[in-house]
Amino acid sequence: MKMMKLTCLLAFTLAAVLAATGCKNHRPVGVTQLPRGAGSTIPEAPPGPTMSGEQSPSGIPLPNIEDINGMAADRAQLASYTVHFAYDSAAVRKSEKANVQAVADALSRDSSAKLMIEGNCDERGTDEYNRSLGERRALAVRKELVKHGIDPMRVFTKSFGKDRPVDPGHDESAWSKNRRDDFVLLHPKSGS
Amino acid sequence: MKKPYSHLLKICLTLSLFAAAGAPGQNEITIQPELKVVGSTKPIPVSLEGFGSDVADVLRFDLYVQGFSFVAPDAARYQISGTSAGSVQGRVVDRFAKSTILTRNYTGAALRRQAHAFADDIVQAITHKNGIAQTKIAFKAQGADGNGEIYVADFDGHNALAVTHDNTIVAAPAWVPGRLALYYDSYKLDNPDIWYSDLTTGQRRVVAHYSGSNISPAVSPDGSRVAMILSKSGSPDVWVSDADGSNLKQLTATPEDESSPCWSPDGRWICFATRISERRVLAKVPAGGGAFQRIPTAGAPNPTEPDWSPDGKWIAFTSQTGDFNICVVPADGSAPPVVLVAGEDPSWSPNSRTLIFTRRTGDRYVLSVLDVFTKQVKDIARISGNDSQPAWAR
């Protein structure tokens, strides 16, 4: 409690100094203005498709995490269908649709299987921003799979942000490989 | 004990409120003889004599990142001198007033601790403000494989201790205000989940473990609630729960990817990063729920990672234009953002004057401390690999 009081006291005391700063000059000297056009270098994502049967303004709710307890992960089967993304975008590009189709086909063939989509980013964004972007990438492909008729309750997502690059390089060639969704097929353990 | 503090608090609060309003009619209040401006204040020149190199190094670091510069004794505004044989004995002379403003001897603990205590006393004697030399930080230390651990350390990176031993991805430590306890992210259960660790008892528990993302915890000023990003509803949204994860409530419901929530110090608002019309923006939502509104950051594109200063006045954040910059904007939007230095993920010190942030150097991440008034900045001691996502205990 004492520590908190001291902290409060300290905060308010310094508020006075900072506030005084604001009084004197609302346009601080020495401000480096960033180029205003910089935002436009980011490719604009097309508006997301309107889903019929969407259950929330956020998207299609995820299933219970307990539903995949005890399932066996198969990273090999769908390894060649990794979906890649443009910089700072979670839009599924036309060039990636065949891979999404292949994943949908695999799920259709094996109705006992479930899917974990792992979203990843290149190293350029900030940490937590990338963790959210990676999740949005995984969710974007999940949405596509639902359009292919896959039950959303079979599809799970996980974001690694920028922490699991496939290429440790620091150039576009590496970055383009790292902006991706990997697909892990989940099988019921034999006997269960 | 209670009364004098609350009395002082009231006075300070009154001062800051008058000043915050800009109140041109309130001319009875003179707060500071010398007005300071964020990013362009001149450092206070001091000299340093007589200490052994270990203590002198601590004093130099502590004072430099709090807006002091080091000059010869005859050019100094304040002359700091003393000895550190066995223990720290120090003195501060105001050269202009020709008076000794501080004389103190320190005993007990390590020399390093004594030096930090002296640094805080110097800051108090000269600026009449509490210093930061005895504060703590938390951060993540990450290896080349992406796995890491959460650490706590002195604000200068010394005396680091691992909080986790998970050998997996960890992220985003957040302190419980006024307590030795942290929330953070760990993939220990093969999913990005929010965990809580009490550093005093060593107790640990999962706070949020749902499908998808459970990330970016931020503890309310009174410690009773936690804001976080969950994607269970189908998109990364801002949620808030009680401290133990119960009473979960969704605060935003957008198809966009919200990230990095932080609390206003009065506990009324949660600020976060999101997108509006394809533009990355900062916004705030009432902590109890309601419509969210934008925080103006024009001139600092692609804002992320906001942190609200403990005095309520400022929001520090990262702006991305290709590189990353640490920016500060008045929380009420009354002035455009000030771009301070290259870096990302800023966290305010308890006294709302200093920021700790992540700096990319080559292909490594190091933590740096920045005095927002003078823009004086120094890297802190490194643990290993990459250190990032600092959170200042406050």
Side-chain angles (χ1 to χ4, degrees), chain B residues 20 25 45 96 102 112 118 131 141 159 168 189 212 218 234 261 271 280 315 358 373:
Chain B
F96 291 4
L102 175 68
R112 218 186 154 78
F118 183 41
N159 296 318
T168 184
L189 303 179
C271 176
R280 283 154 64 174
I315 291 171
T358 305
F373 285 122

Side-chain angles (χ1 to χ4, degrees), chain A residues 3-32:
Chain A
M3 179 172 168
M4 283 184 69
K5 258 183 216 146
L6 283 169
T7 306
C8 287
L9 173 61
L10 181 55
F12 283 116
T13 312
L14 272 119
V17 182
L18 285 164
T21 301
C23 289
K24 161 123 189 208
N25 190 346
H26 280 283
R27 291 196 61 110
V29 186
V31 177
T32 311

Side-chain angles (χ1 to χ4, degrees), chain B residues 100-144:
Chain B
T100 299
I101 58 170
L102 175 68
T103 309
R104 202 152 288 178
N105 301 334
Y106 301 84
T107 55
L111 268 191
R112 218 186 154 78
R113 273 296 296 279
Q114 295 184 8
H116 283 312
F118 183 41
D120 275 348
D121 286 336
I122 294 169
V123 169
Q124 181 68 46
I126 294 177
T127 70
H128 312 294
K129 306 286 183 290
N130 286 5
I132 54 171
Q134 298 175 89
T135 56
K136 295 272 182 197
I137 55 165
F139 58 96
K140 81 166 174 182
Q142 195 170 28

Side-chain angles (χ1 to χ4, degrees), chain B residues 6-19:
Chain B
S6 57
H7 182 59
L8 272 174
L9 192 68
K10 238 179 258 167
I11 292 169
C12 293
L13 178 60
T14 312
L15 285 174
S16 75
L17 282 179
F18 280 147

Side-chain angles (χ1 to χ4, degrees), chain A residues 38-119:
Chain A
S40 62
T41 58
I42 290 164
E44 299 227 332
T50 312
M51 292 292 305
S52 56
E54 200 167 283
Q55 293 163 62
S56 101
S58 301
I60 311 159
L62 290 165
N64 276 331
I65 197 164
E66 288 78 18
D67 294 353
I68 53 172
N69 282 354
M71 293 186 85
D74 175 358
R75 303 193 68 91
Q77 193 177 332
L78 303 176
S80 56
Y81 302 124
T82 291
V83 164
H84 293 90
F85 293 85
Y87 171 60
D88 200 28
S89 166
V92 181
R93 294 177 291 186
K94 276 206 182 86
S95 59
E96 310 298 312
K97 303 263 172 172
N99 283 353
V100 176
Q101 181 70 58
V103 173
D105 290 347
L107 285 170
S108 301
R109 278 195 304 271
D110 181 356
S111 61
S112 71
K114 291 185 165 119
L115 181 73
M116 177 63 79
I117 310 178
E118 297 177 346

Side-chain angles (χ1 to χ4, degrees), chain A residues 1-47 56-66 69 87-89 116 123-136 139 142-143 156-164 170, chain B residues 2 5 8-9 12-13 16 19-20 22 31 35-38 40 129-130 140 142 145-147 169 171-172 178 187 190-192 209-213 215-216 229 231-237 250 253-260 275 278-280 298-302 304-305 310-311 313-314 318-321 324-325 335 337-339 344 351-352 360 363 365 373 388-389 394:
Chain A
M1 277 314 282
K2 191 179 170 193
M3 179 172 168
M4 283 184 69
K5 258 183 216 146
L6 283 169
T7 306
C8 287
L9 173 61
L10 181 55
F12 283 116
T13 312
L14 272 119
V17 182
L18 285 164
T21 301
C23 289
K24 161 123 189 208
N25 190 346
H26 280 283
R27 291 196 61 110
V29 186
V31 177
T32 311
Q33 289 289 327
L34 290 175
R36 275 172 193 280
S40 62
T41 58
I42 290 164
E44 299 227 332
S56 101
S58 301
I60 311 159
L62 290 165
N64 276 331
I65 197 164
E66 288 78 18
N69 282 354
Y87 171 60
D88 200 28
S89 166
M116 177 63 79
E123 63 180 348
R124 283 178 293 173
T126 54
D127 218 314
E128 292 306 288
Y129 174 78
N130 272 345
R131 221 170 287 284
S132 281
L133 176 62
E135 181 68 9
R136 209 160 68 117
L139 289 161
R142 179 171 179 262
K143 222 171 190 180
F156 296 74
T157 57
K158 185 193 299 182
S159 172
F160 289 115
K162 58 182 172 184
D163 291 330
R164 290 283 185 265
H170 305 291
Chain B
K2 211 168 187 175
Y5 274 132
L8 272 174
L9 192 68
C12 293
L13 178 60
S16 75
I31 296 161
L35 293 175
K36 291 172 177 171
V37 177
V38 166
S40 57
K129 306 286 183 290
N130 286 5
K140 81 166 174 182
Q142 195 170 28
D145 59 1
N147 291 346
I169 298 170
Y187 286 55
D190 204 22
N191 195 66
H209 173 66
Y210 301 99
S211 264
S213 293
I215 58 172
S216 306
I229 302 295
S231 64
K232 68 202 283 285
S233 64
S235 160
D237 292 309
Q250 188 172 2
T254 76
E256 305 297 345
D257 38 355
E258 273 86 68
S259 63
S260 294
R275 266 172 228 258
E278 302 304 326
R279 288 271 173 171
R280 283 154 64 174
N302 301 318
T304 57
E305 303 177 326
D311 65 10
K313 288 277 296 171
W314 304 95
T318 309
S319 166
Q320 186 182 358
T321 50
F324 302 95
N325 287 297
V338 182
V339 181
E344 55 196 283
N351 67 13
S352 300
R360 296 187 190 209
D363 53 5
Y365 296 83
F373 285 122
S388 64
Q389 298 202 301
R394 54 193 193 213

